[in-house]
Amino acid sequence: YAIPMAESALTLDGDLGEWSDLPFIVDQPGQIFHNVPAWKGLHDGAFRFGVTRDDAYVYVAVRATDNEPCFDGWKYWEDFVMVTVDARASSADDPKVGVFSIITGPEISPEQGAEFEFGDKPDGVRAASKPAADGFTAEVAIPVDYLNAHQGGDWAQVRLNVGVSDFDKGDARDGVTILYWRPEWRGPFAYAEAGVFRKE
């Protein structure tokens, strides 16, 4: 997929009014983890997202819709976004380096998210999220300097995955439900080139 340049300056605050388009629609997830029966379909939870860039950051914006928004839960028992980032030049490079995730949600603190994120999150990564009447929004910014460092110069690509937690209190006994755009990278259904974005 191509990453277009941002049409205007972006303020990372969870407000998506500056985004003209969120073209990636996820109403049939590539994977549901791990409480599969809790997701009842499109009316229960879905999301769309977009990716853009400027000279300093690659940005991901997410708009999640949910029939039962749930914030301020215990640990990760609430609604949130997880963005997974692979800054490597290719899938042949060491997967232990240059791969990380970041979690953000309307009531997720950085310390709370860090408990469940993986990989070495670089300095300069930023995130913001806001609740909405029918779900929530989120924005994540990935520093271009980080991509350059892992690709030996001017970066060419970044691999991304987006997951949204659709937590409903009635399903708490069976755990959270995360809807992934593409299969979760550390699981058995992952494939190496899923979600590669390149400069337009």
Side-chain angles (χ1 to χ4, degrees):
Y1 307 96
I3 310 177
M5 286 290 286
E7 296 177 359
S8 60
L10 296 178
T11 302
L12 202 85
D13 56 5
D15 184 344
L16 305 188
E18 299 155 324
W19 289 77
S20 60
D21 190 23
L22 302 176
F24 298 93
I25 300 171
V26 184
D27 53 15
Q28 290 294 325
Q31 182 181 356
I32 302 172
F33 177 88
H34 59 95
N35 184 8
V36 177
W39 187 66
K40 307 300 191 298
L42 175 60
H43 72 281
D44 189 16
F47 66 95
R48 59 192 306 153
F49 72 95
V51 182
T52 191
R53 64 184 173 92
D54 59 21
D55 292 335
Y57 291 94
V58 172
Y59 302 89
V60 180
V62 181
R63 174 70 172 95
T65 55
D66 191 344
N67 68 333
E68 187 185 330
C70 183
F71 310 123
D72 197 21
W74 176 72
K75 288 185 176 286
Y76 57 82
W77 301 73
E78 60 184 279
D79 295 338
F80 61 80
V81 162
M82 174 186 281
V83 176
T84 312
V85 179
D86 184 348
R88 298 175 299 164
S90 80
S91 59
D93 295 339
D94 185 355
K96 296 179 182 178
V97 178
V99 180
F100 70 94
S101 67
I102 181 168
I103 291 174
T104 187
E107 295 291 337
I108 292 268
S109 69
E111 295 77 16
Q112 188 179 358
E115 188 174 352
F116 302 100
E117 294 164 350
F118 65 85
D120 293 327
K121 187 169 62 177
D123 293 337
V125 171
R126 296 160 40 202
S129 183
K130 284 187 173 181
D134 62 345
F136 66 102
T137 58
E139 291 178 294
V140 170
I142 304 146
V144 164
D145 287 347
Y146 176 77
L147 303 179
N148 289 339
H150 284 279
Q151 296 180 31
D154 190 21
W155 71 282
Q157 68 177 41
V158 60
R159 185 179 176 217
L160 300 169
N161 200 3
V162 179
V164 168
S165 170
D166 176 29
F167 178 71
D168 296 333
K169 291 182 179 179
D171 299 312
R173 178 177 298 179
D174 298 316
V176 298
T177 302
I178 301 178
L179 313 176
Y180 282 103
W181 173 51
R182 295 291 184 260
E184 202 276 327
W185 292 351
R186 297 177 297 173
F189 304 109
Y191 45 104
E193 298 304 316
V196 173
F197 288 81
R198 295 187 171 93
K199 287 184 181 179
E200 190 172 59

